[in-house]
Amino acid sequence: MDIKVSIGDIVKQKVEAIIVNLFEGVDQPGGATGAVDREMGGLISDLMASGEIRGKEGEVTILHTKGKIAPERVLVIGLGKQSAFDINAIRAAGALACQTLKRIGVQKAATIIHGAGAGSIDIENAIQALVEGSLLGLYEFRNYMTVPADRKEPAELDIVELSGDKKDMLEGGVRRGVVFAEAVKLVRDMGNEPANIMTPSRMAEIATDVSKRHGLLITIMDKVKMTELGMGGILGVSQGSHQEPKLIIMEYRGDSTSKESVGLVGKGITFDSGGISIKPGEGMKDMKGDMAGGAAVIAVIEAIATLKPKINVIGIVPATENMPDGSALKPGDVIKAMNGKTIEIINTDAEGRLILADALCYGVKMGLTPLIDVATLTGACRIALGDICTGAFTNDQKLLNDIIGVTAKSGEYIWQMPMFPEYRNQIKSDVADVQNVGNKLAGAITAAKFLEEFVEKTPWVHLDIAGTSIPEKPGPFAAKGATGVMVRTLAAFLLEKAGK
Ligand code: BES
Ligand code: ZN
Ligand code: ZN
């Protein structure tokens, strides 16, 4: 669906449908909804009076105009109570409207910007959220459906604004919205692909395509190079699989005046069977999505390379399967990470931290600062925060505050977990420097404490997306399956950091 900005009067648009809205609990429709109401002889007011339209969140009413005004139809989207309205409500309204357009077969529509002027959301962020919601709400994964969808998605959506003085700003918001949504869709596509297709090599190919498109430097390390560098973590995890491991390094250099580069590190386990500590069969298929962090890093780099802020960002993605063949890692084995630290394997299903250990060491060796990793790391984080909120862990409060700061715009929830030194006791090993799991308690935190061993003094944030990457139920602007969580937050953080 193409999205563009037009200046004009929504009621005058010659389109198959226009989209307006209504807050719950208002007596009289205002703004564009009021204008439609007047020109339609009070139709919306009448439906409000009879209780058919209440403005409730998720409510959509389709009115046929029968030639009374230029648009053929009017969709009235309920926004819920104004007091509870936030930036995610704009995304949800955009998604609901576009899903409805698709359902009724509309190809060309126009919309107002929901919530612009309602409270604290500025118009540029509102339009970006509208674009993200509209595009992401239409997302479906149909790569393996041999029967085509019965409806095509709308071809064109015009976002109509009355006054022309903010056109540049609006177009900037649309551009960011489109780029962010495309990045999220890339992660969803990668996560939804089955693991027999989305192998480490396939991830490397996708990262290579992205890099070629944007003229980025990319390095793909193979086993030989990893052995040379002493990456015992990623090598250890990959040794039970027939798939070759890959370490993907993508470099976006947008600021030649600075020697500093931000490092993004993403867990790229293309299938997590648990290894010798094999997982139960139920739900194991979801472990094809254990590369969501790695995919997010590739997609954020692509978004940043498209928008070109003045900043340097390096993406590092260790990619491998975790499988249980005769040469697989075993509980009790001891391996050595790139920084020389020895790790006793207690449970081979705690593999993400082993590959991240090497990737973080590599980031430290490259001098990247800060380091931000994103990983489907622990079931414990999913238990603690559910599937709506990402867990965050840090050794640098200011850095995490800055990341949490941008979630006011991105609308993605992040909650900080503690990192008290005593948690480290759980991963003390009898035979090595550290062991890869603690006891049953605080599993998300002990995983983070393990990662902390490999970042030295570098300011670092770890984002655990085990809960948020594949929710139990689809969200208002996310279909079933991979969500692409944290892409919009990380991209927004980098733009903000670059001062753009
Ligand atoms: N990939 C899993 C974590 C996960 C769980 C992601 C559920 C998405 C949904 C990770 O590698 C894992 O298996 N972690 C273990 C660690 C345990 C053995 C200490 C876990 O959480 O059970
Ligand atoms: Zn695992
Ligand atoms: Zn895993």
PDB file of all heavy atoms in Angstrom, residues 175 178-180 182-183 210 213-214 216 252 299-309 495 500:
ATOM      1  N   ARG A 175       7.706   9.166   6.012  1.00  0.00           N
ATOM      2  CA  ARG A 175       8.899   8.424   5.574  1.00  0.00           C
ATOM      3  C   ARG A 175       9.427   7.525   6.695  1.00  0.00           C
ATOM      4  O   ARG A 175       9.698   6.351   6.493  1.00  0.00           O
ATOM      5  CB  ARG A 175       9.973   9.414   5.124  1.00  0.00           C
ATOM      6  CG  ARG A 175      11.295   8.771   4.819  1.00  0.00           C
ATOM      7  CD  ARG A 175      11.963   9.446   3.634  1.00  0.00           C
ATOM      8  NE  ARG A 175      13.332   8.974   3.453  1.00  0.00           N
ATOM      9  CZ  ARG A 175      13.650   7.873   2.802  1.00  0.00           C
ATOM     10  NH1 ARG A 175      12.707   7.109   2.281  1.00  0.00           N
ATOM     11  NH2 ARG A 175      14.913   7.503   2.669  1.00  0.00           N
ATOM     12  N   VAL A 178       7.101   4.585   7.187  1.00  0.00           N
ATOM     13  CA  VAL A 178       7.225   3.563   6.143  1.00  0.00           C
ATOM     14  C   VAL A 178       8.504   2.749   6.369  1.00  0.00           C
ATOM     15  O   VAL A 178       8.481   1.514   6.333  1.00  0.00           O
ATOM     16  CB  VAL A 178       7.222   4.214   4.734  1.00  0.00           C
ATOM     17  CG1 VAL A 178       7.599   3.196   3.666  1.00  0.00           C
ATOM     18  CG2 VAL A 178       5.866   4.835   4.435  1.00  0.00           C
ATOM     19  N   VAL A 179       9.605   3.439   6.625  1.00  0.00           N
ATOM     20  CA  VAL A 179      10.894   2.736   6.795  1.00  0.00           C
ATOM     21  C   VAL A 179      10.849   1.830   8.033  1.00  0.00           C
ATOM     22  O   VAL A 179      11.288   0.673   7.998  1.00  0.00           O
ATOM     23  CB  VAL A 179      12.053   3.760   6.895  1.00  0.00           C
ATOM     24  CG1 VAL A 179      13.358   3.076   7.293  1.00  0.00           C
ATOM     25  CG2 VAL A 179      12.224   4.492   5.567  1.00  0.00           C
ATOM     26  N   PHE A 180      10.284   2.342   9.135  1.00  0.00           N
ATOM     27  CA  PHE A 180      10.196   1.530  10.357  1.00  0.00           C
ATOM     28  C   PHE A 180       9.301   0.306  10.124  1.00  0.00           C
ATOM     29  O   PHE A 180       9.619  -0.802  10.530  1.00  0.00           O
ATOM     30  CB  PHE A 180       9.639   2.360  11.534  1.00  0.00           C
ATOM     31  CG  PHE A 180      10.655   3.265  12.182  1.00  0.00           C
ATOM     32  CD1 PHE A 180      11.775   3.720  11.499  1.00  0.00           C
ATOM     33  CD2 PHE A 180      10.482   3.691  13.500  1.00  0.00           C
ATOM     34  CE1 PHE A 180      12.708   4.567  12.098  1.00  0.00           C
ATOM     35  CE2 PHE A 180      11.409   4.533  14.119  1.00  0.00           C
ATOM     36  CZ  PHE A 180      12.515   4.973  13.413  1.00  0.00           C
ATOM     37  N   GLU A 182       8.612  -1.202   7.306  1.00  0.00           N
ATOM     38  CA  GLU A 182       9.295  -2.156   6.422  1.00  0.00           C
ATOM     39  C   GLU A 182      10.310  -2.983   7.221  1.00  0.00           C
ATOM     40  O   GLU A 182      10.458  -4.180   7.013  1.00  0.00           O
ATOM     41  CB  GLU A 182      10.018  -1.427   5.282  1.00  0.00           C
ATOM     42  CG  GLU A 182       9.085  -0.920   4.185  1.00  0.00           C
ATOM     43  CD  GLU A 182       8.216  -2.022   3.592  1.00  0.00           C
ATOM     44  OE1 GLU A 182       8.739  -3.116   3.335  1.00  0.00           O
ATOM     45  OE2 GLU A 182       6.996  -1.785   3.404  1.00  0.00           O
ATOM     46  N   ALA A 183      11.014  -2.324   8.124  1.00  0.00           N
ATOM     47  CA  ALA A 183      12.014  -3.025   8.934  1.00  0.00           C
ATOM     48  C   ALA A 183      11.328  -4.070   9.824  1.00  0.00           C
ATOM     49  O   ALA A 183      11.799  -5.208   9.947  1.00  0.00           O
ATOM     50  CB  ALA A 183      12.809  -2.026   9.772  1.00  0.00           C
ATOM     51  N   VAL A 210      20.941  -6.744   2.090  1.00  0.00           N
ATOM     52  CA  VAL A 210      20.691  -5.430   2.706  1.00  0.00           C
ATOM     53  C   VAL A 210      21.934  -4.551   2.526  1.00  0.00           C
ATOM     54  O   VAL A 210      21.845  -3.394   2.109  1.00  0.00           O
ATOM     55  CB  VAL A 210      20.359  -5.588   4.211  1.00  0.00           C
ATOM     56  CG1 VAL A 210      20.402  -4.247   4.930  1.00  0.00           C
ATOM     57  CG2 VAL A 210      18.995  -6.254   4.392  1.00  0.00           C
ATOM     58  N   ARG A 213      22.429  -3.361  -1.044  1.00  0.00           N
ATOM     59  CA  ARG A 213      21.458  -2.315  -1.412  1.00  0.00           C
ATOM     60  C   ARG A 213      21.873  -0.946  -0.890  1.00  0.00           C
ATOM     61  O   ARG A 213      21.583   0.061  -1.490  1.00  0.00           O
ATOM     62  CB  ARG A 213      20.086  -2.656  -0.821  1.00  0.00           C
ATOM     63  CG  ARG A 213      19.185  -3.436  -1.742  1.00  0.00           C
ATOM     64  CD  ARG A 213      17.714  -3.243  -1.401  1.00  0.00           C
ATOM     65  NE  ARG A 213      17.340  -3.658  -0.064  1.00  0.00           N
ATOM     66  CZ  ARG A 213      17.147  -4.920   0.299  1.00  0.00           C
ATOM     67  NH1 ARG A 213      17.317  -5.891  -0.564  1.00  0.00           N
ATOM     68  NH2 ARG A 213      16.795  -5.218   1.538  1.00  0.00           N
ATOM     69  N   HIS A 214      22.523  -0.922   0.290  1.00  0.00           N
ATOM     70  CA  HIS A 214      22.822   0.363   0.923  1.00  0.00           C
ATOM     71  C   HIS A 214      24.315   0.687   0.940  1.00  0.00           C
ATOM     72  O   HIS A 214      24.726   1.630   1.615  1.00  0.00           O
ATOM     73  CB  HIS A 214      22.261   0.378   2.346  1.00  0.00           C
ATOM     74  CG  HIS A 214      20.780   0.205   2.392  1.00  0.00           C
ATOM     75  ND1 HIS A 214      19.910   1.259   2.154  1.00  0.00           N
ATOM     76  CD2 HIS A 214      20.003  -0.876   2.600  1.00  0.00           C
ATOM     77  CE1 HIS A 214      18.663   0.810   2.231  1.00  0.00           C
ATOM     78  NE2 HIS A 214      18.697  -0.483   2.500  1.00  0.00           N
ATOM     79  N   LEU A 216      26.824  -0.924   2.352  1.00  0.00           N
ATOM     80  CA  LEU A 216      27.448  -1.106   3.670  1.00  0.00           C
ATOM     81  C   LEU A 216      28.553  -2.151   3.580  1.00  0.00           C
ATOM     82  O   LEU A 216      28.487  -3.072   2.774  1.00  0.00           O
ATOM     83  CB  LEU A 216      26.421  -1.590   4.701  1.00  0.00           C
ATOM     84  CG  LEU A 216      25.118  -0.813   4.827  1.00  0.00           C
ATOM     85  CD1 LEU A 216      24.231  -1.480   5.865  1.00  0.00           C
ATOM     86  CD2 LEU A 216      25.394   0.628   5.208  1.00  0.00           C
ATOM     87  N   TYR A 252      27.346   0.341   9.352  1.00  0.00           N
ATOM     88  CA  TYR A 252      26.796   1.587   8.813  1.00  0.00           C
ATOM     89  C   TYR A 252      27.647   2.731   9.351  1.00  0.00           C
ATOM     90  O   TYR A 252      27.752   2.912  10.567  1.00  0.00           O
ATOM     91  CB  TYR A 252      25.335   1.787   9.243  1.00  0.00           C
ATOM     92  CG  TYR A 252      24.856   3.196   8.956  1.00  0.00           C
ATOM     93  CD1 TYR A 252      24.563   3.600   7.650  1.00  0.00           C
ATOM     94  CD2 TYR A 252      24.767   4.148   9.969  1.00  0.00           C
ATOM     95  CE1 TYR A 252      24.176   4.908   7.372  1.00  0.00           C
ATOM     96  CE2 TYR A 252      24.384   5.451   9.702  1.00  0.00           C
ATOM     97  CZ  TYR A 252      24.094   5.824   8.400  1.00  0.00           C
ATOM     98  OH  TYR A 252      23.721   7.112   8.131  1.00  0.00           O
ATOM     99  N   ALA A 299      17.504  -5.675  10.525  1.00  0.00           N
ATOM    100  CA  ALA A 299      16.461  -4.746  10.074  1.00  0.00           C
ATOM    101  C   ALA A 299      16.713  -3.320  10.566  1.00  0.00           C
ATOM    102  O   ALA A 299      16.452  -2.353   9.838  1.00  0.00           O
ATOM    103  CB  ALA A 299      15.096  -5.244  10.553  1.00  0.00           C
ATOM    104  N   VAL A 300      17.209  -3.169  11.782  1.00  0.00           N
ATOM    105  CA  VAL A 300      17.506  -1.820  12.298  1.00  0.00           C
ATOM    106  C   VAL A 300      18.625  -1.195  11.458  1.00  0.00           C
ATOM    107  O   VAL A 300      18.558  -0.022  11.082  1.00  0.00           O
ATOM    108  CB  VAL A 300      17.897  -1.851  13.792  1.00  0.00           C
ATOM    109  CG1 VAL A 300      18.441  -0.497  14.240  1.00  0.00           C
ATOM    110  CG2 VAL A 300      16.696  -2.240  14.650  1.00  0.00           C
ATOM    111  N   ILE A 301      19.631  -1.991  11.142  1.00  0.00           N
ATOM    112  CA  ILE A 301      20.723  -1.474  10.307  1.00  0.00           C
ATOM    113  C   ILE A 301      20.151  -1.026   8.956  1.00  0.00           C
ATOM    114  O   ILE A 301      20.498   0.036   8.431  1.00  0.00           O
ATOM    115  CB  ILE A 301      21.831  -2.543  10.101  1.00  0.00           C
ATOM    116  CG1 ILE A 301      22.474  -2.910  11.447  1.00  0.00           C
ATOM    117  CG2 ILE A 301      22.864  -2.067   9.075  1.00  0.00           C
ATOM    118  CD1 ILE A 301      23.533  -1.965  11.953  1.00  0.00           C
ATOM    119  N   GLU A 302      19.233  -1.814   8.407  1.00  0.00           N
ATOM    120  CA  GLU A 302      18.645  -1.413   7.120  1.00  0.00           C
ATOM    121  C   GLU A 302      17.862  -0.101   7.264  1.00  0.00           C
ATOM    122  O   GLU A 302      17.987   0.802   6.430  1.00  0.00           O
ATOM    123  CB  GLU A 302      17.740  -2.516   6.561  1.00  0.00           C
ATOM    124  CG  GLU A 302      16.843  -1.974   5.433  1.00  0.00           C
ATOM    125  CD  GLU A 302      16.676  -2.889   4.240  1.00  0.00           C
ATOM    126  OE1 GLU A 302      16.151  -3.991   4.448  1.00  0.00           O
ATOM    127  OE2 GLU A 302      17.042  -2.490   3.123  1.00  0.00           O
ATOM    128  N   ALA A 303      17.068   0.016   8.323  1.00  0.00           N
ATOM    129  CA  ALA A 303      16.285   1.251   8.521  1.00  0.00           C
ATOM    130  C   ALA A 303      17.218   2.456   8.654  1.00  0.00           C
ATOM    131  O   ALA A 303      16.985   3.515   8.048  1.00  0.00           O
ATOM    132  CB  ALA A 303      15.402   1.112   9.765  1.00  0.00           C
ATOM    133  N   ILE A 304      18.273   2.282   9.412  1.00  0.00           N
ATOM    134  CA  ILE A 304      19.219   3.378   9.643  1.00  0.00           C
ATOM    135  C   ILE A 304      19.954   3.724   8.344  1.00  0.00           C
ATOM    136  O   ILE A 304      20.138   4.898   7.998  1.00  0.00           O
ATOM    137  CB  ILE A 304      20.207   2.969  10.772  1.00  0.00           C
ATOM    138  CG1 ILE A 304      19.462   2.937  12.117  1.00  0.00           C
ATOM    139  CG2 ILE A 304      21.408   3.892  10.851  1.00  0.00           C
ATOM    140  CD1 ILE A 304      18.852   4.252  12.537  1.00  0.00           C
ATOM    141  N   ALA A 305      20.327   2.695   7.584  1.00  0.00           N
ATOM    142  CA  ALA A 305      21.034   2.944   6.320  1.00  0.00           C
ATOM    143  C   ALA A 305      20.118   3.652   5.319  1.00  0.00           C
ATOM    144  O   ALA A 305      20.587   4.342   4.418  1.00  0.00           O
ATOM    145  CB  ALA A 305      21.551   1.636   5.749  1.00  0.00           C
ATOM    146  N   THR A 306      18.808   3.486   5.466  1.00  0.00           N
ATOM    147  CA  THR A 306      17.861   4.172   4.572  1.00  0.00           C
ATOM    148  C   THR A 306      17.694   5.629   4.991  1.00  0.00           C
ATOM    149  O   THR A 306      17.650   6.524   4.159  1.00  0.00           O
ATOM    150  CB  THR A 306      16.478   3.473   4.627  1.00  0.00           C
ATOM    151  OG1 THR A 306      16.665   2.071   4.446  1.00  0.00           O
ATOM    152  CG2 THR A 306      15.540   4.005   3.550  1.00  0.00           C
ATOM    153  N   LEU A 307      17.610   5.863   6.300  1.00  0.00           N
ATOM    154  CA  LEU A 307      17.332   7.227   6.793  1.00  0.00           C
ATOM    155  C   LEU A 307      18.612   8.063   6.954  1.00  0.00           C
ATOM    156  O   LEU A 307      18.536   9.278   7.096  1.00  0.00           O
ATOM    157  CB  LEU A 307      16.561   7.156   8.118  1.00  0.00           C
ATOM    158  CG  LEU A 307      15.159   6.542   8.001  1.00  0.00           C
ATOM    159  CD1 LEU A 307      14.558   6.297   9.376  1.00  0.00           C
ATOM    160  CD2 LEU A 307      14.230   7.423   7.173  1.00  0.00           C
ATOM    161  N   LYS A 308      19.756   7.376   6.965  1.00  0.00           N
ATOM    162  CA  LYS A 308      21.069   8.031   6.963  1.00  0.00           C
ATOM    163  C   LYS A 308      21.325   9.091   8.047  1.00  0.00           C
ATOM    164  O   LYS A 308      21.733  10.225   7.741  1.00  0.00           O
ATOM    165  CB  LYS A 308      21.331   8.665   5.587  1.00  0.00           C
ATOM    166  CG  LYS A 308      21.345   7.658   4.448  1.00  0.00           C
ATOM    167  CD  LYS A 308      21.932   8.280   3.206  1.00  0.00           C
ATOM    168  CE  LYS A 308      22.217   7.281   2.119  1.00  0.00           C
ATOM    169  NZ  LYS A 308      21.157   6.306   1.840  1.00  0.00           N
ATOM    170  N   PRO A 309      21.108   8.773   9.315  1.00  0.00           N
ATOM    171  CA  PRO A 309      21.471   9.736  10.367  1.00  0.00           C
ATOM    172  C   PRO A 309      22.993   9.794  10.530  1.00  0.00           C
ATOM    173  O   PRO A 309      23.709   8.887  10.097  1.00  0.00           O
ATOM    174  CB  PRO A 309      20.819   9.142  11.614  1.00  0.00           C
ATOM    175  CG  PRO A 309      20.754   7.676  11.350  1.00  0.00           C
ATOM    176  CD  PRO A 309      20.548   7.524   9.870  1.00  0.00           C
ATOM    177  N   LEU A 495      18.274   7.238  15.910  1.00  0.00           N
ATOM    178  CA  LEU A 495      17.981   8.536  15.271  1.00  0.00           C
ATOM    179  C   LEU A 495      18.102   9.655  16.300  1.00  0.00           C
ATOM    180  O   LEU A 495      18.680  10.707  16.035  1.00  0.00           O
ATOM    181  CB  LEU A 495      16.567   8.559  14.684  1.00  0.00           C
ATOM    182  CG  LEU A 495      16.276   7.673  13.473  1.00  0.00           C
ATOM    183  CD1 LEU A 495      14.868   7.929  12.958  1.00  0.00           C
ATOM    184  CD2 LEU A 495      17.282   7.907  12.349  1.00  0.00           C
ATOM    185  N   LYS A 500      18.654  13.453  15.185  1.00  0.00           N
ATOM    186  CA  LYS A 500      17.801  13.655  14.006  1.00  0.00           C
ATOM    187  C   LYS A 500      16.335  13.435  14.350  1.00  0.00           C
ATOM    188  O   LYS A 500      16.008  12.518  15.044  1.00  0.00           O
ATOM    189  CB  LYS A 500      18.208  12.668  12.916  1.00  0.00           C
ATOM    190  CG  LYS A 500      17.679  13.022  11.555  1.00  0.00           C
ATOM    191  CD  LYS A 500      18.338  12.162  10.508  1.00  0.00           C
ATOM    192  CE  LYS A 500      17.605  12.269   9.184  1.00  0.00           C
ATOM    193  NZ  LYS A 500      18.188  11.486   8.131  1.00  0.00           N
TER     194      LYS A 500
END
